[in-house]
Amino acid sequence: MGYNLLKGKRGIIFGALDENSIAWKTAQTVHDEGGTFVLTNAPIAMRMGQIDELAKKTGSQIIPADATSVEDLDNLVEKAVEILGGKIDFVLHSIGMSVNVRKGRAYTDEKYDFTAKGWDVSALSFHKVMQSLYKADAMNEWGSIVALTYMAAQRTFPDYNDMADNKAYLESVARSFGYFFGKEKKVRVNTISQSPTATTAGQGVKGFDGFISYAEKMSPLGNATAQDCADYTVTLFSDLTRKVTMQNLFHDGGFSNTGVSQEVIEKF
């Protein structure tokens, strides 16, 4: 059941790949809450996923864009405003990729060309997205920009590899750009630090099944699902969170503040 939290609001959603992805669930939930949006992803990702199906279900248009390309992003922002009929109220950045992880290279044996590519896609792209929006003055006052992150930015998870560094950079960009966007445009910028989630990207991390089970045992409320994250994201897009900005918001069932749980003690 929707509450019309986003009625009349317009946005851009990055990164919907298939029905397991957080961006996909967010798009469906935004639609249910009365919001309209354009969908975007890199052309190569679009060939791998089912974004056309999501567009049909939500009555949305798709604008292909490489999030590392300023030219593509400038075009995306211009076209989104044109298609949606006005300035943007919300943006979801749900993009992450590590070539080192894909190629099976350990953190202690990075190929730095791979590192740079992963950093550009996963982290610097967030700055590029916001800079394109900022320079075009494309955001409405009290708009909301959200990026997805993970607690490996604060704590060491060995198999998360260089994605941990990417997420730390991403969170810093949110704080730094959040200051300027808030001060000058009344736009808020936040990151959601989500539980390990069984998305296509998440399952690519070595030892993921064991790790998601461990997190479930550690979290008092259990792991947050992709749908849970979509619901939380909608609250950040809504007018109910107008004074929340420059925050890294943990959405992990309490995992981030739990030292040890009884279930883990009993297991070991």
Side-chain angles (χ1 to χ4, degrees):
M1 183 182 72
Y3 302 93
N4 274 331
L5 287 175
L6 302 180
K7 186 177 181 181
K9 293 191 181 296
R10 301 176 284 255
I12 302 172
I13 295 177
F14 287 80
L17 183 67
D18 56 39
E19 61 185 4
N20 296 315
S21 69
I22 292 171
W24 184 291
K25 301 285 190 190
T26 301
Q28 290 180 317
T29 307
V30 167
H31 177 67
D32 291 344
E33 291 295 342
T36 57
F37 49 85
V38 297
L39 296 164
T40 185
N41 213 328
I44 187 169
M46 289 173 60
R47 289 195 294 272
M48 293 166 55
Q50 296 99 40
I51 195 171
D52 289 337
E53 178 188 333
L54 179 63
K56 288 175 186 173
K57 286 182 177 178
T58 59
S60 306
Q61 291 194 41
I62 304 167
I63 306 174
D66 177 350
T68 66
S69 165
V70 173
E71 183 180 353
D72 277 14
L73 292 172
D74 287 345
N75 177 68
L76 167 66
V77 170
E78 181 183 345
K79 291 285 177 58
V81 171
E82 180 184 317
I83 289 167
L84 297 170
K87 289 187 179 184
I88 304 302
D89 298 291
F90 60 86
V91 177
L92 175 65
H93 179 283
S94 179
I95 306 169
M97 184 275 294
S98 167
V99 187
N100 282 307
V101 169
R102 285 184 179 178
K103 299 292 187 182
R105 298 187 75 102
Y107 187 76
T108 52
D109 186 35
E110 288 186 14
K111 183 175 179 182
Y112 294 119
D113 287 349
F114 293 169
T115 307
K117 180 63 176 175
W119 167 72
D120 197 9
V121 171
S122 306
L124 188 61
S125 65
F126 192 39
H127 192 286
K128 292 176 179 179
V129 166
M130 288 195 283
Q131 184 166 286
S132 289
L133 291 162
Y134 184 88
K135 287 187 172 181
D137 192 23
M139 293 292 297
N140 273 321
E141 284 197 354
W142 303 110
S144 175
I145 302 171
V146 173
L148 301 182
T149 185
Y150 182 55
M151 199 176 64
Q154 287 81 34
R155 299 187 191 174
T156 300
F157 295 86
D159 291 330
Y160 203 62
N161 211 300
D162 59 335
M163 277 302 298
D165 302 332
N166 295 337
K167 293 301 189 186
Y169 187 93
L170 178 86
E171 292 174 18
S172 181
V173 167
R175 288 187 294 270
S176 298
F177 222 124
Y179 174 84
F180 294 103
F181 243 139
K183 195 78 174 171
E184 298 176 32
K185 311 282 188 180
K186 293 290 187 289
V187 171
R188 54 205 197 270
V189 181
N190 296 288
T191 52
I192 295 175
S193 189
Q194 167 72 358
S195 295
T197 310
T199 61
T200 302
Q203 290 171 323
V205 176
K206 181 182 173 186
F208 179 81
D209 289 343
F211 180 63
I212 199 169
S213 175
Y214 169 74
E216 180 73 24
K217 288 181 171 63
M218 277 285 287
S219 308
L221 297 179
N223 290 330
T225 66
Q227 184 59 56
D228 291 333
C229 189
D231 293 340
Y232 190 40
T233 302
V234 163
T235 69
L236 291 175
F237 287 166
S238 79
D239 291 333
L240 299 177
T241 50
R242 276 190 164 196
K243 293 300 175 74
V244 180
T245 195
M246 299 163 62
Q247 302 299 309
N248 181 48
L249 301 160
F250 289 99
H251 185 250
D252 59 8
F255 180 92
S256 49
N257 275 332
T258 303
V260 71
S261 68
Q262 190 62 40
E263 290 86 348
V264 168
I265 288 172
E266 290 170 0
K267 178 75 174 175
F268 293 100

